[in-house]
Amino acid sequence: GFAAADPMSSSDAPEDGPKETSSVSQNISDAEAFKILLEMKLKKRQKKPSLPSTVTELDTEDGSKVYVVGTAHFSDSSKKDVVKTIQEVQPDVVVVELCQYRVSMLKMDERTLLKEAKEINLEKLQQAIKQNGVMSGLMQMLLLKVSAHITEQLGMAPGGEFREAFKEASKVPFCKFHLGDRPIPVTFKRAIAALSFWQKVKLAWGLCFLSDPISKDDVEKCKQKDLLEQMMAEMIGEFPDLHRTIVSERDIYLTYMLKQAAKQIELPRASETEPRRYIPAVVVGVVGMGHVPGIEKNWNSDLNIQEIMSVPPPSASSKIFKLVVKATVFGLMGYGCYRIGQRTVQFILSMPAAQSYLQKLTEIRSQH
């Protein structure tokens, strides 16, 4: 995860204050200062917090409390729910449904997002393909394009609820900020691995000829549903494997991360000889409402996340199959670009990746 700068650290001593104050603050040990601040925080923490109806309360075996705020993406009321919950419970950790690949969402506003998406060009696409493989690269670009499209229609960038959570967490003393979602490349790769040959071809086709990816009705659906799942379902139709890799597995991952965040907190000790003391933690989780039932269902299970972090190794037959899919994708990209201009086709065919696929395909064919 990545921790927010501790808001207290920047305000320990006034920069231009009178000299006496610094000598006073030096007389207070760190442990005492921590104690005073912690007491202030605990006083502010409501014993019976008045929470929005979107909040689900979960407990751990050692008495820690986890408040899960189920949010609708692109919703102003969700932002308010997040702020109110964090203010009421004064958490020790805030966990959001983001991964390190989407941390930029915390900094991006509407303008930046639109600008980013409008600047999607072949160079960016090539870079995404190089980093994540053809299908994942295309899907990454698609996600950006769809987000920008919604931003334009609603005048609201996605991730508002996470930006509010980040801001509020930084106002609470000793509050850490964790990223709780599975890395998006793992989700992409596992989702693609779960597709049949024709579903992959259909997806590739959909990705290449996406002109207007989303209607007003779709935007309404996206408020409730997972954006990635919604998009893929639009292109290939609903099927259970897709929901499993995109939603259910991430429910498990998010539950695991919330439980990790809810470990008891050790109080600072004035000396090494003092016995260690722990208090239960208070955690706020900010996740899309579609994940809340899954988190509740998994809460009391023993979770193994190794399994859902692996990308299955390709078998010999699926390697050939992968090459065919890649060649199909390049073919489709080529054809799509052919409608734009032949210079682009030559550019795609001259891409080292395209050349190596063509070469491998030729080799496979000559072996049979």
Side-chain angles (χ1 to χ4, degrees):
F2 112 113
D6 182 351
M8 300 321 297
S9 57
S10 56
S11 55
D12 284 346
E15 280 174 27
D16 305 309
K19 290 285 167 276
E20 299 90 299
T21 51
S22 58
S23 63
V24 171
S25 64
Q26 274 160 14
N27 295 338
I28 297 181
S29 73
D30 284 351
E32 284 170 322
F34 182 93
K35 222 165 155 185
I36 293 165
L37 283 166
L38 190 66
E39 272 167 24
M40 278 167 55
K41 172 173 164 168
L42 295 177
K43 269 201 190 108
K44 262 184 97 175
R45 187 178 276 173
Q46 302 298 320
K47 285 285 164 280
K48 284 205 162 31
S50 78
L51 298 168
S53 58
T54 50
V55 176
T56 302
E57 210 174 308
L58 298 164
D59 297 287
T60 67
E61 284 158 16
D62 49 23
S64 294
K65 277 203 170 308
V66 178
Y67 298 93
V68 183
V69 190
T71 62
H73 304 304
F74 312 104
S75 150
D76 273 326
S77 62
S78 280
K79 290 193 221 171
K80 293 188 185 109
D81 290 354
V82 168
V83 172
K84 184 168 175 48
T85 306
I86 292 174
Q87 285 173 353
E88 288 277 315
V89 307
Q90 295 287 299
D92 304 299
V93 189
V94 170
V95 181
V96 294
E97 187 200 321
L98 284 177
C99 66
Q100 68 267 36
Y101 293 88
R102 287 171 293 159
V103 145
S104 58
M105 262 207 192
L106 296 174
K107 307 182 199 84
M108 263 194 197
D109 55 12
E110 283 85 2
R111 273 211 329 273
T112 326
L113 188 78
L114 279 169
K115 192 166 151 278
E116 276 283 293
K118 281 185 177 140
E119 284 169 8
I120 291 180
N121 50 27
L122 275 171
E123 201 178 316
K124 263 197 190 162
L125 183 59
Q126 207 178 348
Q127 203 183 345
I129 286 175
K130 204 166 153 190
Q131 282 171 345
N132 299 308
V134 176
M135 296 288 268
S136 294
L138 280 169
M139 282 170 74
Q140 199 180 324
M141 289 288 124
L142 174 77
L143 208 51
L144 189 60
K145 204 170 160 183
V146 171
S147 300
H149 190 88
I150 296 175
T151 302
E152 223 161 7
Q153 286 202 1
L154 289 182
M156 183 194 275
E161 68 270 45
F162 306 133
R163 286 191 285 278
E164 288 298 325
F166 186 63
K167 252 189 290 190
E168 279 308 311
S170 68
K171 296 176 191 170
V172 177
F174 314 113
C175 180
K176 295 193 173 93
F177 188 86
H178 288 187
L179 305 171
D181 202 0
R182 180 170 70 178
I184 195 124
V186 176
T187 297
F188 278 160
K189 285 178 178 145
R190 283 183 66 87
I192 290 163
L195 302 180
S196 73
F197 180 81
W198 288 114
Q199 284 167 337
K200 282 180 184 161
V201 170
K202 224 167 150 185
L203 179 66
W205 183 267
L207 290 171
C208 290
F209 294 117
L210 196 80
S211 51
D212 189 21
I214 226 154
S215 70
K216 278 272 199 292
D217 293 345
D218 294 333
V219 170
E220 283 309 308
K221 279 188 228 156
C222 286
K223 280 186 179 183
Q224 264 64 50
K225 261 182 108 176
D226 187 89
L227 189 60
L228 179 63
E229 188 192 18
Q230 178 65 35
M231 258 163 32
M232 284 182 75
E234 291 285 313
M235 285 184 219
I236 346 179
E238 301 275 351
F239 55 97
D241 281 349
L242 185 66
H243 186 81
R244 189 197 75 230
T245 50
I246 292 182
V247 180
S248 314
E249 288 181 356
R250 281 170 54 225
D251 290 345
I252 294 170
Y253 191 91
L254 286 161
T255 310
Y256 178 84
M257 294 304 270
L258 286 167
K259 281 179 146 180
Q260 289 298 106
K263 293 255 164 56
Q264 286 199 322
I265 293 162
E266 186 181 344
L267 294 173
R269 298 178 292 164
S271 68
E272 286 300 313
T273 51
E274 215 181 288
R276 292 174 184 272
R277 282 176 50 231
Y278 295 88
I279 55 166
V282 170
V283 176
V284 169
V286 181
V287 304
M289 59 172 67
H291 289 292
V292 178
I295 291 170
E296 280 188 272
K297 192 182 87 188
N298 290 306
W299 191 250
N300 294 314
S301 319
D302 277 336
L303 303 170
N304 168 19
I305 62 162
Q306 284 334 101
E307 209 179 299
I308 59 166
M309 287 302 286
S310 65
V311 178
S315 63
S317 64
S318 74
K319 276 181 190 161
I320 296 176
F321 160 81
K322 199 172 164 192
L323 281 171
V324 174
V325 170
K326 284 183 175 178
T328 312
V329 171
F330 274 109
L332 290 171
M333 276 170 65
Y335 176 64
C337 298
Y338 178 73
R339 291 161 46 177
I340 304 161
Q342 282 175 317
R343 267 177 52 219
T344 329
V345 185
Q346 282 156 0
F347 171 73
I348 283 191
L349 290 176
S350 67
M351 276 165 64
Q355 301 247 296
S356 73
Y357 297 137
L358 290 169
Q359 199 180 341
K360 281 181 195 164
L361 267 174
T362 320
E363 283 165 19
I364 289 169
R365 282 180 62 184
S366 61
Q367 282 165 18
H368 290 294

